[in-house]
Amino acid sequence: INNAEKSGCKIILDGRSWAEREGTWVGPTIIVHTNPADPALHDEIFGPVLSVLAVKDQEEAIRIENTNPYGNAAAIYTQSGGVADWFTQRFRAGMIGVNIGIPVPREPFSFGGMYGTLSKFGEHDITGEGAMRFFTTRRKITTKWSKFETGKKEEDISQFK
């Protein structure tokens, strides 16, 4: 945020005062950019920080989004189904939102980017079916009992018959 401001970006909502708390904090922040090369548009910022860049047309918007190396998520806000369809068919992202800023799906769908991006690590993601395969040991136990043996007298096990 500091670097963006020093490079000429306009901070229209400033959450830096939250940093006065113990720990690493940033409050909601909105940065208006004028240069598509601004680092804050290209570096992942973990926090409630929204970067805004006005573009001349939808092709420029798609080009900027799709050259982002992360490919994690993309969103479009619109009242037009046609505009939403145009963008969702062209976004190169693993999660796409229409009129929702954080398009994180619920299980069993995976959270994450697409192959060929920096947000797709390995074969599986952190949620969904891939997480079940990665974080658990699935076991199948097959048994057959030909006789019920407990080591107890017949009258003691009558409840189990």
Side-chain angles (χ1 to χ4, degrees):
I1 300 169
N2 292 337
N3 290 339
E5 187 175 46
K6 287 176 188 172
S7 72
C9 296
K10 184 176 180 182
I11 311 299
I12 61 173
L13 180 62
D14 193 342
R16 289 177 282 188
S17 65
W18 288 41
E20 296 169 2
R21 299 176 182 195
E22 185 177 334
T24 304
W25 295 91
V26 65
T29 301
I30 300 174
I31 306 171
V32 177
H33 301 268
T34 56
N35 182 350
D38 284 342
L41 289 170
H42 301 279
D43 297 335
E44 266 189 315
I45 300 174
F46 290 92
V49 178
L50 176 65
S51 285
V52 177
L53 175 67
V55 297
K56 65 180 178 180
D57 57 28
Q58 57 197 40
E59 281 83 11
E60 183 182 8
I62 285 293
R63 187 175 67 256
I64 290 170
E65 171 62 28
N66 290 348
T67 57
N68 180 304
Y70 296 103
N72 191 18
I76 179 74
Y77 286 87
T78 181
Q79 293 181 358
S80 167
V83 170
D85 185 59
W86 191 93
F87 276 93
T88 60
Q89 295 302 313
R90 287 164 178 80
F91 279 141
R92 183 179 153 259
M95 300 177 294
I96 298 172
V98 175
N99 298 326
I100 185 166
I102 304 174
V104 177
R106 297 298 308 160
E107 293 75 6
F109 303 102
S110 294
F111 172 92
M114 298 177 70
Y115 285 104
T117 69
L118 296 178
S119 289
K120 182 69 174 178
F121 302 105
E123 289 297 314
H124 308 294
D125 294 303
I126 61 171
T127 61
E129 186 62 26
M132 292 300 295
R133 287 191 292 265
F134 184 81
F135 292 110
T136 64
T137 302
R138 292 183 178 187
R139 301 186 318 161
K140 178 182 174 187
I141 300 173
T142 305
T143 64
K144 180 180 181 211
W145 302 94
S146 56
K147 184 177 178 186
F148 189 80
E149 296 181 21
T150 64
K152 295 185 176 187
K153 296 180 185 176
E154 183 71 22
E155 62 270 9
D156 293 338
I157 61 166
S158 61
Q159 63 189 3
F160 298 113
K161 289 186 178 181

